[in-house]
Amino acid sequence: AHSVLDIQEKQAGVILAMIGGQASHFACYKKSVLIETRSIPIGADCITEAIEKNLNIDHLDAQRLKETFGSASPKLEFQDELIPVPNVNGRKKYPIKRSEFEAQMNSGLNIFFTEICREIKALQGRYSPITHVVFTGGGSQLEGFLDVVRESVSPTARIGIVQGISGPEALVHDPAYAGALGGLNFTGKLSEGEFAYSDHPGWMNRTIARARNWIF
């Protein structure tokens, strides 16, 4: 929230959905106050796992296929496109049509979007009239993701990328790093007086600097 939401969104009311691999986290703001958070053990990995299981391939190979060819909605104009799929030992590849590949990942997509949308709609119903939703995290990078959630949960939904934090463009424009960069930036602004239990002066600043340097 510290890295991707602006002041106006928090004041007007917004739901932040951080979509990870194995879990998704939700934070609801109203009048600039964080009023509820919740998490579910569902993330974009359920799509990867569907590809892995249905095509009988390695998890990492399934992840690469999802990132390279995966889409949240069918690409009707490219149904005959051939997609190279590694065999079970990853040494050779065989082609399948995009239509078949999309059918194999469909079960994962259904679980993914059903659970994400259910949580957001529950928050929207509880804190009506909050309708604006900002998505971030690596799971929001799936091609066509924004089109699906705009149709299903909020026509004003957007993908949240890091704001007001300088760094390599490849990182600050990647939603997957929004949580890490926002956390580092927020923690780095806290007064060391709030961490008086440490016997080592400057430990927080050193930790933040090392973490930031490692990421960048």
Side-chain angles (χ1 to χ4, degrees):
H2 181 70
S3 65
V4 303
L5 297 182
D6 59 42
I7 296 173
Q8 292 76 17
E9 286 175 323
K10 288 182 179 180
Q11 176 63 27
V14 63
I15 296 170
L16 173 65
M18 186 167 181
I19 313 300
Q22 298 183 344
S24 297
H25 311 281
F26 306 87
C28 189
Y29 284 84
K30 193 172 185 179
K31 295 183 179 179
S32 300
V33 175
L34 177 61
I35 53 179
E36 184 173 340
T37 63
R38 56 174 67 185
S39 299
I40 58 173
I42 294 290
D45 278 0
C46 69
I47 306 172
T48 306
E49 289 163 2
I51 298 172
E52 176 187 3
K53 177 182 177 181
N54 294 334
L55 292 179
N56 190 29
I57 60 176
D58 181 81
H59 185 83
L60 289 179
D61 289 329
Q63 181 73 15
R64 294 187 191 101
L65 284 177
K66 182 186 74 175
E67 293 174 352
T68 306
F69 301 103
S71 177
S73 55
K75 290 188 173 183
L76 300 179
E77 67 275 29
F78 299 113
Q79 291 298 286
D80 290 331
E81 176 189 7
L82 295 179
I83 294 175
V85 177
N87 61 13
V88 68
N89 58 24
R91 294 179 181 177
K92 295 183 179 180
K93 296 182 179 181
Y94 63 93
I96 63 171
K97 289 186 177 182
R98 171 173 283 280
S99 57
E100 181 182 349
F101 174 71
E102 291 178 345
Q104 300 304 331
M105 69 181 293
N106 194 51
S107 59
L109 284 171
N110 287 338
I111 295 172
F112 177 68
F113 282 111
T114 296
E115 297 300 323
I116 297 298
C117 293
R118 178 183 289 128
E119 292 300 314
I120 292 173
K121 288 179 178 178
L123 287 170
Q124 289 175 327
R126 184 170 183 179
Y127 299 109
S128 180
I130 295 179
T131 59
H132 185 47
V133 185
V134 175
F135 292 89
T136 193
S140 66
Q141 295 177 296
L142 180 67
E143 184 176 348
F145 177 91
L146 191 57
D147 294 332
V148 173
V149 295
R150 279 181 171 171
E151 183 177 339
S152 56
V153 296
S154 172
T156 63
R158 71 175 180 86
I159 301 298
I161 60 175
V162 173
Q163 306 172 18
I165 299 175
S166 60
E169 195 170 298
L171 291 184
V172 296
H173 288 172
D174 187 341
Y177 293 98
L181 296 179
L184 287 172
N185 187 263
F186 177 76
T187 309
K189 291 180 179 179
L190 294 177
S191 166
E192 285 204 321
E194 298 177 35
F195 299 92
Y197 55 80
S198 172
D199 295 328
H200 304 284
W203 75 272
M204 177 57 70
N205 284 342
R206 290 197 302 274
T207 302
I208 294 301
R210 288 170 182 168
R212 184 179 288 114
N213 289 340
W214 182 84
I215 290 177
F216 286 144

